[in-house]
Amino acid sequence: MTHLEIKQWKMTYKECQIKNKLDSFTTAKEGTEFVVVFFEIENISNESQNFSIIWEEFYIDGVKTAQTLYGVSINNAFPLTTVPVEPGRKANGYFLFQTSPDWKELEIIYDESLTNENEENVMKFTLTKNAE
């Protein structure tokens, strides 16, 4: 599935890029690589919304993982940490991770349910390396 929806958001997977360098100053540490996952988010509600880091969870091969913070636009996309979006509007964004090149599965979960019990407020994308 390339897109998922919850009450106020539609999230569409665009692509996954694996890089050793983000720019001329930012290089992956030895024995790691950058994984950049691009999405389009759309506010499908009638009110302004903030797509927020507080609702995001990430797992690489079943281990909870933090995003690598990089405050620069990549391919005209913004880091998906806190992104305000007006009703009916869209934003291009990315999640960034620095990890071992041996990773196999990346889970990206956006969960506004607070209790993880209300599946209608959860969007979950699972990417498999070499099968993105």
Side-chain angles (χ1 to χ4, degrees):
M1 178 177 285
T2 58
H3 78 270
L4 296 172
E5 291 183 24
I6 57 174
K7 187 173 23 175
Q8 61 273 22
W9 293 108
K10 177 179 178 183
M11 190 171 172
T12 304
Y13 169 79
K14 295 296 193 178
E15 69 174 311
C16 179
Q17 296 180 2
I18 297 173
K19 301 177 173 227
N20 290 318
K21 287 178 76 167
L22 297 177
D23 57 40
S24 38
F25 304 107
T26 311
T27 304
K29 294 177 188 170
E30 188 174 326
T32 68
E33 64 188 13
F34 290 114
V35 179
V36 189
V37 186
F38 293 92
F39 285 91
E40 177 185 85
I41 57 172
E42 180 180 358
N43 179 350
I44 57 175
S45 77
N46 294 323
E47 299 176 359
S48 295
Q49 299 290 332
N50 272 318
F51 192 90
S52 176
I53 195 168
I54 64 172
W55 308 116
E56 300 167 0
E57 287 187 273
F58 311 100
Y59 293 87
I60 295 178
D61 296 332
V63 177
K64 192 163 189 156
T65 303
Q67 272 196 84
T68 300
L69 296 180
Y70 179 70
V72 180
S73 173
I74 300 175
N75 296 355
N76 201 28
F78 299 97
L80 288 172
T81 50
T82 300
V83 181
V85 183
E86 294 301 313
R89 301 287 180 124
K90 299 176 183 179
N92 290 311
Y94 66 86
F95 297 112
L96 175 64
F97 308 94
Q98 188 171 187
T99 188
S100 162
D102 299 332
W103 72 275
K104 293 176 181 46
E105 185 177 84
L106 168 62
E107 294 174 272
I108 296 172
I109 304 164
Y110 190 83
D111 182 356
E112 290 188 349
S113 69
L114 292 176
T115 61
N116 295 328
E117 294 175 6
N118 189 349
E119 289 295 317
E120 69 186 34
N121 289 324
V122 178
M123 294 181 288
K124 179 180 177 183
F125 293 85
T126 302
L127 288 83
T128 304
K129 190 171 186 177
N130 299 325
E132 297 91 21

